[in-house]
Amino acid sequence: MPRFARRVAEQQTARQPALIDRWIADEERREAERRRGMKMRPAPPDWLIQYGLNRTNVDAVHTGHCWASAKRGRCRPATRQQALDALRQQVPACVHCRPDTALGTLE
């Protein structure tokens, strides 16, 4: 019995470094994929227009990094000109990110 226990211990000891090396390689691969994904991710838009539930009503204008627009999920990217046009058409500016201030068109 002690010889069997010794063989089992030797096998496990020999197998552990290979297992750990495989774990390390997997983690390095995941990290490289994450970094590659971050590089390839498009830049966030500078301006967002929030649409209503029926997708035709415009509810608000946001800056691209507004936390409130991320929570709602009904925003679409917009150009600077589209954001300015929306504000001129009396679409309310977000009270959190104040795109009217960033665009230089205070009400």
Side-chain angles (χ1 to χ4, degrees), residues 2-13:
R3 291 182 193 267
F4 173 74
R6 180 175 173 77
R7 277 197 316 262
V8 169
E10 286 174 354
Q11 288 174 352
Q12 287 180 350
T13 304

Side-chain angles (χ1 to χ4, degrees), residues 67-103:
W67 63 270
S69 66
K71 288 186 158 234
R72 291 192 178 92
R74 297 189 318 245
C75 293
R76 293 186 201 149
T79 63
R80 177 182 174 85
Q81 189 59 45
Q82 290 170 328
L84 281 168
D85 290 343
L87 289 172
R88 287 182 191 128
Q89 294 171 7
Q90 304 303 314
V91 174
C94 173
V95 297
H96 303 290
C97 62
R98 299 307 304 176
D100 50 352
T101 304
L103 288 166

Side-chain angles (χ1 to χ4, degrees), residues 3-75:
R3 291 182 193 267
F4 173 74
R6 180 175 173 77
R7 277 197 316 262
V8 169
E10 286 174 354
Q11 288 174 352
Q12 287 180 350
T13 304
R15 202 172 22 170
Q16 290 303 319
L19 180 63
I20 291 170
D21 289 343
R22 192 169 63 227
W23 286 344
I24 290 170
D26 288 345
E27 286 301 316
E28 288 173 346
R29 180 184 49 79
R30 282 188 203 105
E31 182 63 22
E33 287 174 358
R34 187 190 67 75
R35 277 194 227 117
R36 191 169 38 252
M38 292 297 284
K39 282 183 186 177
M40 294 177 69
R41 178 177 287 166
D46 291 333
W47 312 104
L48 297 167
I49 294 182
Q50 177 183 328
Y51 289 88
L53 294 176
N54 64 2
R55 302 268 184 198
T56 57
N57 294 343
V58 179
D59 287 346
V61 178
H62 298 273
T63 61
H65 299 286
C66 180
W67 63 270
S69 66
K71 288 186 158 234
R72 291 192 178 92
R74 297 189 318 245
C75 293

